[in-house]
Amino acid sequence: MLFLRMYRATFLNGQVYEDLRQDPIAFVQGITVVVLATLALLIGAFIHQAGTGGNVAEALSALMAMPAMWIVQALSAYVLGSMAIPHEQRQGLARPLIAAIGLSAAPGVLFLFVGVPVVGGFIGLLVTFWMVLTMV
């Protein structure tokens, strides 16, 4: 179920986000997707650093970057949504919102390939833009 949901989110299927309101485990799945994308970025960064003789500390910064970006996105969406949606309609929207933003990190599992020589940087850029598209 999680991987099907990630697949649908990656290919911009809007129905997957509509389904989040009725699914009680979607919140946990959203956080799981962020963890998977973070691990993929970490592994890809380690492969890249090993191939270029770079600093391991730079690769470890990936461990903090992905969750930090997710937290900023979630807080931004919550604050903007709080201003746009009347209070009585906001009840129970926090968990589906966090699940949706977590699910938008689904293309991030492709960060695993940033360590591929020559094309790794392009893959990282492409995946970053893809993640922005899934969030919008």
Side-chain angles (χ1 to χ4, degrees):
M1 179 72 158
L2 172 64
F3 293 109
L4 176 62
R5 193 171 264 169
M6 287 174 63
Y7 175 83
R8 290 172 56 206
T10 298
F11 289 100
L12 308 174
N13 182 330
Q15 185 61 40
V16 72
Y17 295 102
E18 294 295 325
D19 297 341
L20 295 178
R21 285 190 182 185
Q22 288 79 31
D23 190 352
I25 63 166
F27 177 77
V28 174
Q29 287 182 339
I31 293 171
T32 302
V33 171
V34 172
V35 169
L36 290 173
T38 301
L39 290 174
L41 181 58
L42 181 65
I43 292 167
F46 269 120
I47 293 169
H48 175 72
Q49 294 301 328
T52 61
N55 188 349
V56 174
E58 291 174 13
L60 288 175
S61 68
L63 187 60
M64 291 176 271
M66 182 73 71
M69 289 188 307
W70 179 68
I71 290 168
V72 168
Q73 289 174 339
L75 288 175
S76 299
Y78 185 75
V79 168
L80 292 173
S82 295
M83 290 189 277
I85 300 172
H87 179 67
E88 56 276 354
Q89 293 178 353
R90 279 186 270 163
Q91 300 301 321
L93 287 181
R95 289 176 71 90
L97 174 69
I98 291 171
I101 293 170
L103 198 55
S104 72
V109 297
L110 297 175
F111 277 129
L112 186 65
F113 300 106
V114 297
V116 175
V118 182
V119 295
F122 176 72
I123 291 172
L125 185 64
L126 182 67
V127 170
T128 300
F129 284 123
W130 198 352
M131 287 175 64
V132 170
L133 279 176
T134 58
M135 184 175 171
V136 176

